[in-house]
Amino acid sequence: MTRSTKISIILTIVGLAALMGGGLVLHNGLVKERQVDTIRLKDKVVRDEGKTTAFQRQRPVYSAAENAIDSFMNGFLTFSDQKEFDNRRKTVKSLVTQAVDNDKLLFKVDKYHKITQLSLQGTYVKCAVIPTKLVNNQLTASVYATQTLNFKDKQGKDAVKAFTVTYDGNTGKLTKVTSEGNYEVNTDSSVF
């Protein structure tokens, strides 16, 4: 073998060794980067789990439906004057589908302006969501919402309104809201 052949073989070996060393360094860098990404993801999951309860993690559709229904009832049952009562549809528009938004029975027009005549104010208090069916991320529930109604210069009285509500877990919106009327409790519970 000639001297130039030996030098080119040695240079080739050194070049291959340098390429392999560089490849190992790049590989180790990518592995470290992936490990850092994994740690960040685990940290985010731990932080997010701290914000949700075990019940919410185990029943995500029910929990999301409960939050959406609570927000809807707050916007639907809270008003301080005629203008706010008339604008309830706009207040809850982002929470419902177009079919609910177009429901004329749910959003009845107060053509006689009873809210103004009676100086009526409504305040949403709370609601009880009782699931009746869950199929394909569609939760149907009976909802009992408590609202305090105040007349001018008079202490308010609580009214419990019953609704049947369907929530779509895929879109995160209420797809059906049907008012069933008022729930009447005629028994004085303080006696018991």
Side-chain angles (χ1 to χ4, degrees):
M1 243 200 257
T2 64
R3 181 180 169 124
S4 64
T5 309
K6 287 181 185 180
I7 290 176
S8 78
I9 291 174
I10 291 173
L11 287 175
T12 304
I13 292 172
V14 169
L16 287 172
L19 280 174
M20 289 177 67
L24 287 173
V25 168
L26 283 174
H27 175 70
N28 286 339
L30 290 174
V31 168
K32 294 282 186 200
E33 187 178 331
R34 178 151 304 181
Q35 288 173 340
V36 168
D37 287 344
T38 303
I39 289 170
R40 284 185 186 142
L41 181 62
K42 285 181 181 176
D43 183 49
K44 183 181 182 314
V45 168
V46 167
R47 277 185 281 132
D48 288 347
E49 281 185 1
K51 295 176 186 175
T52 60
T53 65
F55 182 83
Q56 290 170 324
R57 287 189 302 274
Q58 291 169 353
R59 294 164 186 90
V61 175
Y62 174 76
S63 297
E66 195 172 43
N67 290 336
I69 291 167
D70 189 61
S71 296
F72 173 83
M73 291 301 167
N74 188 31
F76 185 71
L77 298 175
T78 301
F79 54 88
S80 59
D81 57 24
Q82 187 71 46
K83 184 178 180 183
E84 284 184 11
F85 182 83
D86 293 339
N87 288 327
R88 295 176 305 157
R89 176 178 281 151
K90 291 178 186 172
T91 304
V92 299
K93 188 174 184 78
S94 64
L95 301 168
V96 299
T97 60
Q98 191 66 38
V100 175
D101 189 49
N102 293 338
D103 188 346
K104 293 183 194 268
L105 288 175
L106 185 63
F107 296 103
K108 286 188 260 185
V109 176
D110 183 13
K111 60 183 178 182
Y112 298 112
H113 301 286
K114 291 179 188 175
I115 303 301
T116 301
Q117 288 179 24
L118 299 172
S119 297
L120 188 63
Q121 297 175 331
T123 305
Y124 168 73
V125 179
K126 64 180 178 179
C127 70
V129 178
I130 302 163
T132 56
K133 181 171 69 171
L134 175 61
V135 178
N136 297 330
N137 281 341
Q138 299 264 337
L139 179 94
T140 302
S142 294
V143 177
Y144 299 96
T146 304
Q147 176 187 37
T148 300
L149 295 171
N150 295 317
F151 295 98
K152 184 178 181 180
D153 300 328
K154 292 188 180 178
Q155 179 58 34
K157 187 173 185 180
D158 285 350
V160 178
K161 299 180 181 266
F163 296 88
T164 301
V165 178
T166 302
Y167 171 80
D168 185 355
N170 298 322
T171 63
K173 294 190 175 202
L174 304 180
T175 58
K176 189 173 183 185
V177 179
T178 306
S179 177
E180 304 294 343
N182 290 344
Y183 184 72
E184 299 293 333
V185 180
N186 295 324
T187 306
D188 182 0
S189 62
S190 65
V191 175
F192 298 108

